[in-house]
Amino acid sequence: MDTKPIEREWSVLLKSEEKFAAARMKAGTPIINEKLDKRIPEKLRETLNIAFNKAFQIVFEKGTGVIEKTYSREKYEMDYKLNEYAYELKDDKKRLKKFGKKAGRAKKVNMAVSCASGIGLGLAGVGIPDIPLFTAAVFKSVYETALSFGYNYDTDEEKLFILRLIEVAMKQGIDFAEDNTALNKLIDKGGQYEADMDEQMNRTAQSMTDAMIYMKFLQGMFVVGAVGGAWDVVYMNRITNYAILKYKRRFLVNKMKNIDD
């Protein structure tokens, strides 16, 4: 096989990852967070952690089937197989770029829905109860991304990877840099992410709480909560973009390994 299309796509990926990492490294504390800091109830952080943990449990125990009713898993899997077959016939740039395209289209729809939901609930002063809906939307977006690149999200190993992916995406500064580098090394070695499921859910919940606590507090205020709710789409965009980068990296690493073999 001609490796040039793969090499070019790998180069494009690395530039996209560098851009994402630079943004997370430069991310500072929003001014509004500093103003809200003294108003955040002491128990809110614990409440958010519990809410996110519960949301993860619901998704894994019985929520995935419900989420799958919002898209055709079979269609994603068929499209991937067709793209794979076309690429095997001719491994050019055009066919290589088709992988993951559906993830990009699905992202736009998911962001629109998340924005409408966040603002709508914010106008009503609903903050914490929005978490199960937001979490389900996040997993829907990641699931569709995984399928676009040919990955099955049913295994415990993949669930752990998704949780870790979300955890890292919500971080910033040196914490993001270190965890992102570690995740890339794992992907490049072709290894599986291993961790205790409960511990990983706790870490992911903590990461989401740290990033979202101020906006979820604001979202709980009647009418003005729309401002906080609108941030749902910001977090959705960040997580989905990171998921696309990591799944594309896994996909390309696997393709390059097959060439070497």
Side-chain angles (χ1 to χ4, degrees), residues 113-134 216 218-230 232:
V113 172
S114 180
C115 184
S117 174
I119 292 176
L121 291 172
L123 284 170
V126 176
I128 303 300
D130 169 54
I131 288 177
L133 295 176
F134 174 75
K216 285 304 168 189
L218 192 62
Q219 190 178 354
M221 299 179 182
F222 184 65
V223 180
V224 73
V227 177
D232 279 2

Side-chain angles (χ1 to χ4, degrees), residues 150-183:
Y151 289 92
N152 186 324
Y153 46 73
D154 293 328
T155 66
D156 285 343
E157 291 80 10
E158 201 63 27
K159 291 173 184 177
L160 283 168
F161 179 80
I162 290 172
L163 286 169
R164 178 60 170 163
L165 182 157
I166 295 172
E167 176 195 356
V168 178
M170 298 299 273
K171 293 187 176 184
Q172 62 185 40
I174 191 65
D175 289 337
F176 171 82
E178 291 177 349
D179 288 350
N180 181 57
T181 297
L183 194 55

Side-chain angles (χ1 to χ4, degrees), residues 144-252:
E144 290 177 292
T145 299
L147 292 173
S148 294
F149 288 102
Y151 289 92
N152 186 324
Y153 46 73
D154 293 328
T155 66
D156 285 343
E157 291 80 10
E158 201 63 27
K159 291 173 184 177
L160 283 168
F161 179 80
I162 290 172
L163 286 169
R164 178 60 170 163
L165 182 157
I166 295 172
E167 176 195 356
V168 178
M170 298 299 273
K171 293 187 176 184
Q172 62 185 40
I174 191 65
D175 289 337
F176 171 82
E178 291 177 349
D179 288 350
N180 181 57
T181 297
L183 194 55
N184 281 345
K185 287 181 178 179
L186 178 72
I187 292 172
D188 294 350
K189 291 179 180 178
Q192 290 183 329
Y193 179 66
E194 297 179 356
D196 178 80
M197 183 65 75
D198 289 338
E199 289 182 4
Q200 183 57 59
M201 285 196 290
N202 286 332
R203 288 199 297 270
T204 304
Q206 182 65 60
S207 184
M208 295 184 79
T209 295
D210 289 343
M212 300 178 69
I213 187 169
Y214 297 97
M215 292 306 154
K216 285 304 168 189
F217 170 70
L218 192 62
Q219 190 178 354
M221 299 179 182
F222 184 65
V223 180
V224 73
V227 177
W231 272 76
D232 279 2
V233 73
V234 175
Y235 301 123
M236 171 72 78
N237 183 57
R238 186 192 305 173
I239 293 170
T240 305
N241 283 342
Y242 192 65
I244 290 173
L245 290 174
K246 296 305 113 174
Y247 273 106
K248 185 175 182 179
R249 190 179 188 105
R250 288 175 70 183
F251 170 79
L252 291 177

Side-chain angles (χ1 to χ4, degrees), residues 1 79-92 94-96 98-99:
M1 280 188 182
D79 285 348
Y80 176 80
K81 290 177 181 178
L82 290 173
N83 288 335
E84 184 71 20
Y85 179 67
Y87 183 72
E88 287 177 358
L89 293 177
K90 188 175 182 180
D91 57 331
D92 59 10
K94 180 179 178 180
R95 288 170 174 78
L96 186 59
K98 283 191 174 182
F99 293 99

Side-chain angles (χ1 to χ4, degrees), residues 26-146:
K26 292 179 182 177
T29 302
I31 296 176
I32 192 172
N33 288 12
E34 297 176 359
K35 292 182 177 180
L36 290 173
D37 198 46
K38 294 181 180 180
R39 299 184 62 185
I40 300 295
E42 292 183 6
K43 290 187 177 181
L44 181 58
R45 187 174 299 278
E46 180 183 357
T47 300
L48 279 174
N49 273 327
I50 293 173
F52 278 121
N53 262 294
K54 186 64 177 177
F56 298 152
Q57 292 171 15
I58 291 173
V59 168
F60 290 151
E61 289 174 6
K62 53 187 177 182
T64 295
V66 176
I67 293 172
E68 287 181 337
K69 294 182 184 298
T70 63
Y71 61 88
S72 173
R73 176 171 179 169
E74 293 76 13
K75 183 67 165 60
Y76 271 97
E77 291 173 338
M78 180 60 70
D79 285 348
Y80 176 80
K81 290 177 181 178
L82 290 173
N83 288 335
E84 184 71 20
Y85 179 67
Y87 183 72
E88 287 177 358
L89 293 177
K90 188 175 182 180
D91 57 331
D92 59 10
K93 178 181 177 180
K94 180 179 178 180
R95 288 170 174 78
L96 186 59
K97 282 187 171 294
K98 283 191 174 182
F99 293 99
K101 269 197 170 183
K102 285 196 70 175
R105 292 195 293 269
K107 170 193 162 185
K108 295 179 181 178
V109 175
N110 291 329
M111 286 179 63
V113 172
S114 180
C115 184
S117 174
I119 292 176
L121 291 172
L123 284 170
V126 176
I128 303 300
D130 169 54
I131 288 177
L133 295 176
F134 174 75
T135 303
V138 166
F139 273 85
K140 175 181 183 294
S141 190
V142 176
Y143 283 170
E144 290 177 292
T145 299

